[in-house]
Amino acid sequence: GIAGFAIRPIVNDPVPTSFTFNENNYPSIESIPAYATELIFDNNSYPNIQTLDLSRFTQLKTLIVRDGAFPNCYYVYLDNPLLAVIGIGDNCFTGVPPTGEARRLAGFPAAFVIANAPNLSTITIGSGSLTSVSSIEIGNVSDSVEMTVGTGSFSNVENVIVDESNASKDFGNSLAGAIENGNPGKTVNVVIRPTEAPTTLPPTTQPPTTLPPTTLPTTTLPTSQPPTTT
């Protein structure tokens, strides 16, 4: 009765932060709780996804992608400051990007991007994964990452693009070597992306200095209009 309910102990169960996902229990990536610390994508899951951006998972520490997951995905973007472990199985992310006008409208290249993962310590990729990716971009990463790339994975990668930081360059060189080991006879270039890009931002503050002169013509336009009416 009510008395029995009243004396019932209150137990605060911890909120689960590790999830195993497929399109049946979570039909979209957006439906996955953003506070997840561990994401496990089930075998052969999410065949309808072509581009994957996991940056909304700011607490993510472990990413596991089981065999055959994301079979039509060709673009992966990771910006996860706490991410420590990436494990990708066999034949994952094997999507082929659209061509022609469809590719332009899609706006995403066939790329694997680790924009920000300063705590990353381990990357393990099975065989035959990320086969359409043509470039890898590495941003802010740790200076010591263990990595294994299986046979045939990243088979179409031409360039690993890195920042000028030593950690990014070391990461890029190690990853390029791992890809070459998994694809005998293949050469992967490590390309340094200059960090001068931010210097192009200050000039965008100059247009306001050009705005005041644009107010002068407006003051002359009304004076020029009356003569046209006489």
Side-chain angles (χ1 to χ4, degrees):
I2 295 177
F5 179 81
I7 63 173
R8 188 176 176 183
I10 297 175
V11 178
N12 292 321
D13 293 328
V15 176
T17 58
S18 176
F19 302 88
T20 299
F21 304 102
N22 57 53
E23 61 276 12
N24 295 320
N25 57 10
Y26 287 91
S28 69
I29 302 300
E30 290 73 20
S31 64
I32 299 173
Y35 55 78
T37 62
E38 182 177 57
L39 300 179
I40 304 172
F41 292 104
D42 221 345
N43 297 74
N44 307 307
S45 58
Y46 297 101
N48 295 325
I49 289 180
Q50 293 183 307
T51 63
L52 181 66
D53 180 354
L54 297 179
S55 59
R56 63 187 286 264
F57 300 99
T58 57
Q59 304 303 309
L60 183 63
K61 296 179 180 179
T62 303
L63 171 63
I64 304 296
V65 181
R66 292 176 175 166
D67 294 352
F70 300 100
N72 292 301
C73 182
Y74 57 87
Y75 176 84
V76 180
Y77 184 87
L78 302 175
D79 181 351
N80 308 93
L82 302 181
L83 183 61
V85 176
I86 297 175
I88 298 175
D90 297 340
N91 304 309
C92 302
F93 303 109
T94 53
V96 177
T99 59
E101 181 68 6
R103 181 169 185 172
R104 186 187 69 80
L105 293 174
F108 292 96
F112 183 78
V113 182
I114 302 179
N116 182 41
N119 287 293
L120 189 61
S121 61
T122 304
I123 297 179
T124 304
I125 299 175
S127 299
S129 291
L130 297 144
T131 48
S132 291
V133 168
S134 58
S135 68
I136 299 172
E137 297 184 29
I138 305 301
N140 181 27
V141 293
S142 62
D143 57 2
S144 180
V145 180
E146 295 182 6
M147 54 186 73
T148 304
V149 177
T151 303
S153 289
F154 288 122
S155 55
N156 282 306
V157 166
E158 298 175 358
N159 298 316
V160 177
I161 303 170
V162 300
D163 288 341
E164 289 185 332
S165 69
N166 289 332
S168 185
K169 288 188 287 187
D170 289 346
F171 186 106
N173 285 322
S174 296
L175 184 55
I179 294 171
E180 291 174 349
N181 289 337
N183 296 272
K186 183 175 183 60
T187 300
V188 179
N189 302 309
V190 177
V191 180
I192 299 176
R193 175 179 51 230
T195 55
E196 298 175 356
T199 62
T200 62
L201 296 177
T204 61
T205 62
Q206 292 179 0
T209 63
T210 63
L211 292 177
T214 62
T215 61
L216 294 177
T218 58
T219 59
T220 59
L221 285 176
T223 59
S224 62
Q225 289 175 356
T228 60
T229 59
T230 56

